[in-house]
Amino acid sequence: MNTEASNTPVADVKFIQVEKRFDTTTALHSLDLEIEHGTLFALLGPSGCGKTTTLRLIAGFEQPTSGQVYIRGKDVTGIPAYKRSFGMVFQNFALFPHLTVAENVAFGLKMRGVAKSDIQTKVAAALDLVELGRFGERYPRQLSGGQQQRVALARAVVFEPDVLLLDEPLSALDKMLREQMQVEIRHLQQRLKMTTVFVTHDQEEALTMSDRVAVMKDGRIQQAGTPRDIYDRPKTEFVATFLGASNILEASVRGNDDAGTVIDLAGNTLTVGRLAATQGSKVRFALRPEKISIGMAGGIKATVREAIYRGAQTFLYLDLNGTPINAVVQNAGVNQATLEPGAAIALHWDCANMVELEPQV
Amino acid sequence: MRSRLSKNSLALAVALPPLVILGLFFVVPLCYLLFVSFMTNSATSLFDLQPTFMNYAEIFSDPFYWLIIRRTLLSTAVVLILCLLLGYPVAFYAARLSPRGRLIMLMVMMVPLMVSNVVRAYGWVAILGRRGVVSSTLTGAGIIERPMQFLYSFEAVTLGLLTILLPFMIVSLTNSLATIDKRYTEAAYSLGAGPWRTFFRVTLPLSSPGIASGLMLVTFLTLSAYVTIALLGGPRYKLLVSLVFDSVTTFRWPRAAALSFILLLIALIIAVVIQLVIRPQRVQGKG
């Protein structure tokens, strides 16, 4: 397996056709997954989508019903959690309350038979890394939530595991602390270059922190890619609406010309990039509200149904010949008077921002 | 601050009536008992109003009392150890059941406790006596020549106490084990600890509140048990509690009071030792 590693980059975590069933329900449907070395990979989805099951399969807390799990090119299917090499930060941190901070961090080193003198230096280094050098003798209950979080991180990385797993690590923290910890975890991960898999239901968190995101639903990965990819080029309606707001617009195909495919959207003729769809068929597009700009003339005619002033932006709920459409505009030079309900305005957008969605199953 | 204060005073208002009752019917009589224990024994009344240390002095200078104290400590210790060793595996199993299964299991274990102590002790008499089940079976099988008395011994008393007290220990341990978040176990696994090391380094310490409360419960119940000790220990195997009763029946009330206080002191000392050794407070409070 070492020779294999030197030829082609071997993914740090790899799932081959992994299926997981619990009694009658299927949590994962033959999942294929590859997580490259050094990336921060987010598993994003609503509860029950299988993201936590995926994480627990990497850990070995669950074993797949069928398929194989590889960590660093080694088949770990069937190997119990305590014989794998991963660090994990749990939702409630799960710091051992009967041990001090230093003893908590030392636990993994002790279990792996590291020499006593090495344990001391490593624990001190790990605590310094999370800026808790002076807190070694305290007990977890004497620390704040953010400090406990950092101890949990130090405990999970101190023995240099192959993979770091984070199970909704920020959900127990308040909003301010959460945003601060997002940045801290990101910095720590980049410094250690540790392959990290991270479970969250918070799309903003996934976009902010990760190199790659896999959006999951009903035990399947809907789409995987960089945050920008997924946000800008969603493949399905679910991805488009789960990550941020999106207009889902249905248009019918008129035919192709030299510039691309001509479509009819609520009575407006638009030309988008060439589509495979045949003439007369219906195609659905995602269009982000912030990609739409407004003017008085030209463009596509719409009526204002409601305008909500939000300080920096105005949220516009519009009507496009009976089709509802939302836009978000920056309040740089907008004349509020024109945005009264019932006012007619013109919409502009670059048709390249209209992303064709896969037909719904 | 204000709301905290008023919340505290509300809690005090609710707690006050039971506290008053506790004071009236427990603390006051206890003080009276202590007072009586320093009075002179009297043949005609409860006591003679002549302060004396004689009750305690006589107890501590008499080798027979020392024997009984040692015996009391020994049987308590053996009951405690056996309850813990036998109860822990059962509790460990019960804690892994579904809440419903756990409830059923604990209920079933409680059923024997619904039978009166007297009935239960006589049950043991029927089993362990000279003409009891064990003796006649062994005689019939030719293992022993003559019928044997298994009653009135350390073993009989210990067995009798154990069967009553084991459920208390199991319930206490189960409740404690069942509330341990399974993420602690998973955290230990993630750090490379196998099942055994996880048990000894994580699960066992985390169950210390249950161990401590179970041990204390068993201690107090052992020291205050009377029917079991009287029927299974009989005249030959007495514990401190038997001597309290003996003193009462011979109308030496101050002596009985002094013995009660020694018993209370022993209970307190054992409780303190349990707290110091098990240190349950280290896992209490937020994780």
Side-chain angles (χ1 to χ4, degrees):
Chain A
M1 104 195 119
N2 271 331
T3 52
E4 194 188 344
S6 55
N7 293 337
T8 51
V10 172
D12 264 5
V13 176
K14 191 172 178 180
F15 277 31
I16 298 175
Q17 296 280 304
V18 170
E19 185 154 314
K20 180 66 186 174
R21 283 192 294 271
F22 294 105
D23 295 330
T24 53
T25 56
T26 305
L28 288 181
H29 300 273
S30 69
L31 190 77
D32 287 306
L33 182 68
E34 275 194 33
I35 300 172
E36 272 170 39
H37 179 71
T39 51
L40 202 164
F41 193 98
L43 293 164
L44 173 69
S47 63
C49 70
K51 58 189 194 296
T52 302
T53 305
T54 306
L55 196 77
R56 294 177 62 80
L57 282 162
I58 301 173
F61 296 145
E62 309 284 353
Q63 295 293 347
T65 310
S66 63
Q68 278 95 44
V69 178
Y70 290 82
I71 295 179
R72 286 261 167 101
K74 188 182 154 211
D75 187 352
V76 294
T77 319
I79 292 178
Y82 53 88
K83 287 184 183 160
R84 298 186 182 186
S85 174
F86 69 96
M88 184 150 172
V89 175
F90 293 81
Q91 212 167 2
N92 62 349
F93 315 138
L95 296 174
F96 303 130
H98 59 296
L99 301 179
T100 62
V101 165
E103 286 168 337
N104 262 285
V105 178
F107 196 93
L109 296 168
K110 224 184 233 173
M111 292 303 119
R112 286 175 165 75
V114 176
K116 265 215 174 107
S117 52
D118 289 351
I119 290 182
Q120 276 195 338
T121 30
K122 286 187 179 195
V123 167
L127 285 177
D128 281 341
L129 191 69
V130 294
E131 289 161 18
L132 285 175
R134 298 174 296 111
F135 291 82
E137 296 312 307
R138 299 229 192 149
Y139 281 89
R141 61 177 169 276
Q142 297 167 311
L143 303 183
S144 70
Q147 291 169 330
Q148 291 187 20
Q149 161 80 271
R150 294 202 211 126
V151 176
L153 262 174
R155 183 176 75 170
V157 300
V158 69
F159 53 92
E160 292 158 41
D162 290 344
V163 202
L164 175 63
L165 306 178
L166 310 173
D167 183 13
E168 306 230 8
L170 303 174
S171 61
L173 305 176
D174 61 56
K175 194 173 183 297
M176 283 270 282
L177 202 53
R178 203 156 60 220
E179 282 167 6
Q180 185 192 332
M181 286 309 293
Q182 284 176 4
V183 178
E184 278 190 37
I185 290 178
R186 183 64 173 143
H187 284 170
L188 186 75
Q189 187 268 340
Q190 283 173 336
R191 243 164 94 191
L192 301 173
K193 292 190 170 49
M194 197 173 273
T195 310
T196 303
V197 188
F198 164 65
V199 160
T200 182
H201 62 265
D202 183 336
Q203 44 106 0
E204 213 173 305
E205 205 165 278
L207 294 181
T208 322
M209 291 175 67
S210 45
D211 298 308
R212 292 182 75 79
V213 182
V215 183
M216 295 186 74
K217 189 196 173 203
D218 299 335
R220 289 190 173 89
I221 290 180
Q222 295 259 313
Q223 190 175 351
T226 63
R228 184 173 286 267
D229 251 5
I230 294 202
Y231 187 81
D232 283 346
R233 320 280 339 151
K235 279 186 184 157
T236 65
E237 180 176 341
F238 176 77
V239 175
T241 52
F242 192 77
L243 260 87
S246 203
N247 291 298
I248 305 296
L249 304 170
E250 196 176 76
S252 52
V253 177
R254 286 270 184 78
N256 291 330
D257 67 10
D258 293 343
T261 301
V262 181
I263 57 164
D264 177 277
L265 172 66
N268 297 285
T269 304
L270 303 170
T271 305
V272 296
R274 194 169 295 275
L275 304 175
T278 54
Q279 188 170 355
S281 61
K282 301 274 185 199
V283 178
R284 290 149 61 80
F285 295 92
L287 177 63
R288 297 286 180 195
E290 73 274 15
K291 312 277 190 197
I292 300 174
S293 57
I294 60 169
M296 291 301 108
I300 295 160
K301 296 275 173 289
T303 322
V304 176
R305 282 192 294 129
E306 206 177 350
I308 294 175
Y309 179 73
R310 286 274 196 101
Q313 294 124 7
T314 299
F315 284 51
L316 294 170
Y317 298 90
L318 309 163
D319 186 281
L320 189 73
N321 284 344
T323 305
I325 183 167
N326 304 334
V328 176
V329 291
Q330 295 296 323
N331 289 341
V334 177
N335 181 2
Q336 281 291 320
T338 61
L339 298 178
E340 291 301 318
I345 54 170
L347 306 181
H348 303 268
W349 65 77
D350 182 349
C351 284
N353 287 323
M354 291 179 71
V355 184
E356 186 195 4
L357 298 175
E358 286 172 5
Q360 271 179 317
V361 188
Chain B
M1 265 324 266
R2 237 184 76 91
S3 74
R4 167 64 62 90
L5 261 176
S6 62
K7 222 180 258 176
N8 279 350
S9 52
L10 180 70
L12 184 65
V14 176
L16 206 57
L19 280 177
V20 168
I21 293 172
L22 208 65
L24 271 180
F25 296 102
F26 183 69
V27 178
V28 171
L30 207 64
C31 294
Y32 184 61
L33 198 69
L34 185 65
F35 167 74
V36 173
S37 76
F38 287 103
M39 292 298 127
T40 310
N41 289 292
S42 159
T44 51
S45 62
L46 200 57
F47 57 86
D48 276 341
L49 198 63
Q50 279 179 317
T52 173
F53 287 107
M54 276 313 284
N55 295 314
Y56 290 98
E58 276 176 20
I59 292 167
F60 288 123
S61 60
D62 188 339
F64 173 69
Y65 282 105
W66 277 113
L67 169 73
I68 300 295
I69 290 173
R70 275 207 307 278
R71 199 185 259 177
T72 304
L73 289 175
L74 176 73
S75 59
T76 307
V78 170
V79 169
L80 284 180
I81 291 166
L82 287 178
C83 273
L84 188 58
L85 290 182
L86 297 175
Y88 208 103
V90 180
F92 195 80
Y93 174 73
R96 292 166 151 241
L97 293 176
S98 65
R100 191 189 154 83
R102 196 183 312 143
L103 186 72
I104 292 171
M105 184 170 164
L106 293 184
M107 284 297 282
V108 168
M109 276 191 303
M110 294 290 208
V111 170
L113 297 180
M114 296 171 194
V115 179
S116 153
N117 258 346
V118 180
V119 175
R120 215 168 6 193
Y122 273 118
W124 281 116
V125 170
I127 293 170
L128 298 175
R130 197 181 293 280
R131 294 184 181 175
V133 179
V134 177
S135 176
S136 46
T137 307
L138 291 178
T139 322
I143 295 168
I144 54 172
E145 282 175 26
R146 281 174 294 143
M148 252 179 91
Q149 179 65 276
F150 292 98
L151 283 174
Y152 315 133
S153 64
F154 167 74
E155 289 82 359
V157 170
T158 308
L159 193 62
L161 287 173
L162 193 65
T163 49
I164 302 170
L165 301 180
L166 195 54
F168 290 97
M169 189 76 199
I170 292 172
V171 170
S172 176
L173 287 172
T174 304
N175 285 334
S176 182
L177 282 167
T179 53
I180 296 176
D181 193 328
K182 84 173 191 303
R183 275 177 285 210
Y184 287 122
T185 318
E186 291 181 348
Y189 286 169
S190 81
L191 297 168
W196 285 104
R197 288 204 286 185
T198 298
F199 175 77
F200 283 108
R201 285 168 183 274
V202 177
T203 311
L204 191 62
L206 289 180
S207 69
S208 57
I211 298 176
S213 65
L215 288 178
M216 297 222 285
L217 207 58
V218 171
T219 304
F220 301 150
L221 292 173
T222 301
L223 291 175
S224 63
Y226 178 69
V227 175
T228 311
I229 292 162
L231 289 178
L232 300 181
R236 286 213 329 245
Y237 199 83
K238 291 188 172 186
L239 297 184
L240 256 180
V241 69
S242 329
L243 299 188
V244 176
F245 191 76
D246 290 352
S247 302
V248 169
T249 50
T250 51
F251 301 109
R252 285 179 296 171
W253 294 98
R255 165 72 59 90
L259 282 167
S260 305
F261 259 91
I262 292 168
L263 206 52
L264 183 70
L265 204 65
I266 290 174
L268 283 176
I269 290 169
I270 296 178
V272 168
V273 170
I274 289 170
Q275 291 294 326
L276 290 179
V277 173
I278 310 292
R279 290 185 294 137
Q281 76 285 354
R282 68 198 152 139
V283 301
Q284 277 152 356
K286 58 180 171 139

